[in-house]
Amino acid sequence: MIFDTHAHYDDEQFDGDRDELLERLHREGIVNLVNVGYSKASIASTHALADRYDFIYEALGFHPDETWEMEQEEETILPWLREQLTRPKAVAVGEIGLDYYWDKTPREVQRKWFRRQLELARELNLPVVIHSREAAQDTMDILREMGQGLTLDMHCYSYSLEMAKDYLNMGYYLGVGGVITFKNARKSKEVVEYMPLERILLETDCPYLAPAPFRGKRNDSGKIPLVIDAIAQIKGLEREQVEEVCLENARRFYGIGHSADVRRENL
Ligand code: NI
């Protein structure tokens, strides 16, 4: 039983076989997945997936590259996002953060909307999925200032072991996916070796970041067992234990499972 904590099944790479693939994955043990809506268009297509499939939940927010959309609708965009997040299957704010690799949106605009979306997550008492690329220090500075006490996932964690220790001390989770299976992923392997199993969130980020031997191909949740095997090997554990503990981690992080059922009855 596997929970994919970060996927993009609304991506056009799945247009040819989306329904067939999702039905098969669910039958084969993908018990839950969170589809991440990261722009206005992708939030709409994420809603459609969550409406169609019981086992799919949604994380909603503006990716740093897409925060120009927020800037264009500065007056109305936060109330709009808040409204989307009241949907019963909306379980997190994300992916939000900073991306200085693509630099598709000015950095000060990224930082402004990263902060505002963190405030929104706190107001709504929702966990947060962070995207951070080539922006290690600014991400850390903003989270030290504004992230205290938030339930937070450093999605596809790719920074140093030293910084991982800081994030773990802050109580955060780290997302682990296909990269851990790459031969040159020395840093990621060090981080996984060091960190408690209880803080690992399994993810694909599909269609991207397929594990070896599928590197460069289209990824999907059915390839997570390769990630589990790599983690088990690095940590010297049984693969069943990794699978079981990571399922619990994902349910705890997103509040899905028994506690989520109770929460929804109470709404
Ligand atoms: Ni993503």
Side-chain angles (χ1 to χ4, degrees):
M1 296 209 294
I2 289 169
F3 188 141
D4 185 351
T5 63
H6 191 123
H8 300 280
Y9 282 104
D10 54 322
D11 191 279
E12 62 185 13
Q13 290 190 47
F14 295 109
D15 282 354
D17 63 345
R18 182 175 296 106
D19 287 329
E20 192 189 323
L21 175 65
L22 285 169
E23 279 157 30
R24 177 171 63 78
L25 290 171
H26 191 42
R27 265 198 320 272
E28 292 177 358
I30 306 303
V31 291
N32 285 117
L33 67 86
V34 169
N35 203 78
V36 179
Y38 57 84
S39 65
K40 275 195 118 171
S42 154
I43 286 171
S45 48
T46 295
H47 289 342
L49 282 173
D51 288 344
R52 186 170 172 88
Y53 291 101
D54 270 354
F55 76 108
I56 298 185
Y57 289 80
E58 11 181 10
L60 307 171
F62 284 80
H63 185 287
D65 288 344
E66 311 298 333
T67 48
W68 61 269
E69 279 194 308
M70 305 193 87
E71 191 71 5
Q72 274 186 346
E73 297 178 41
E74 175 154 27
E75 303 301 320
T76 53
I77 198 71
L78 277 177
W80 180 83
L81 181 57
R82 184 184 291 111
E83 181 71 26
Q84 309 312 304
L85 287 162
T86 60
R87 289 168 54 95
K89 293 176 85 185
V91 289
V93 175
E95 53 192 298
I96 64 172
L98 301 174
D99 194 321
Y100 295 170
Y101 179 77
W102 294 108
D103 265 330
K104 206 176 140 190
T105 298
R107 293 179 181 186
E108 74 270 17
V109 173
Q110 293 188 31
R111 287 191 291 264
K112 168 179 158 184
W113 291 105
F114 182 26
R115 290 169 176 277
R116 299 229 176 138
Q117 291 182 94
L118 283 171
E119 284 167 3
L120 183 61
R122 189 179 294 283
E123 178 195 321
L124 297 174
N125 196 24
L126 285 171
V128 185
V129 179
I130 300 287
H131 170 103
S132 178
R133 190 165 183 194
E134 312 252 315
Q137 196 55 52
D138 281 5
T139 304
M140 176 58 87
D141 289 347
I142 289 176
L143 289 175
R144 277 203 192 286
E145 182 195 332
M146 305 192 60
Q148 302 294 335
L150 290 177
T151 301
L152 198 140
D153 165 28
M154 298 300 294
H155 143 63
C156 198
Y157 183 78
S158 59
Y159 295 138
S160 69
L161 176 60
E162 285 315 303
M163 198 165 258
K165 289 179 181 173
D166 288 341
Y167 282 131
L168 291 166
N169 284 333
M170 290 159 81
Y172 298 165
Y173 292 76
L174 305 182
V176 177
V179 172
I180 196 69
T181 67
F182 299 169
K183 281 214 163 60
N184 56 355
R186 185 185 51 83
K187 259 192 318 181
S188 302
K189 287 175 183 161
E190 275 175 13
V191 169
V192 164
E193 187 177 8
Y194 171 83
M195 72 182 295
L197 185 59
E198 287 70 22
R199 297 288 191 85
I200 291 180
L201 294 177
L202 294 174
E203 60 166 277
T204 52
D205 204 18
C206 66
Y208 309 107
L209 297 177
F214 301 101
R215 190 171 181 176
K217 303 242 166 62
R218 189 183 77 170
N219 196 7
D220 67 69
S221 313
K223 297 182 173 62
I224 287 184
L226 294 163
V227 175
I228 294 175
D229 286 344
I231 294 170
Q233 197 186 358
I234 291 164
K235 298 185 87 61
L237 299 170
E238 296 298 321
R239 64 173 320 287
E240 290 75 16
Q241 187 186 356
V242 174
E243 183 174 325
E244 202 173 302
V245 172
C246 288
L247 175 64
E248 280 310 306
N249 297 346
R251 288 180 164 165
R252 186 186 329 115
F253 178 81
Y254 283 121
I256 294 171
H258 299 297
S259 54
D261 294 339
V262 170
R263 195 180 66 184
R264 256 178 294 154
E265 277 165 26
N266 289 343
L267 281 177

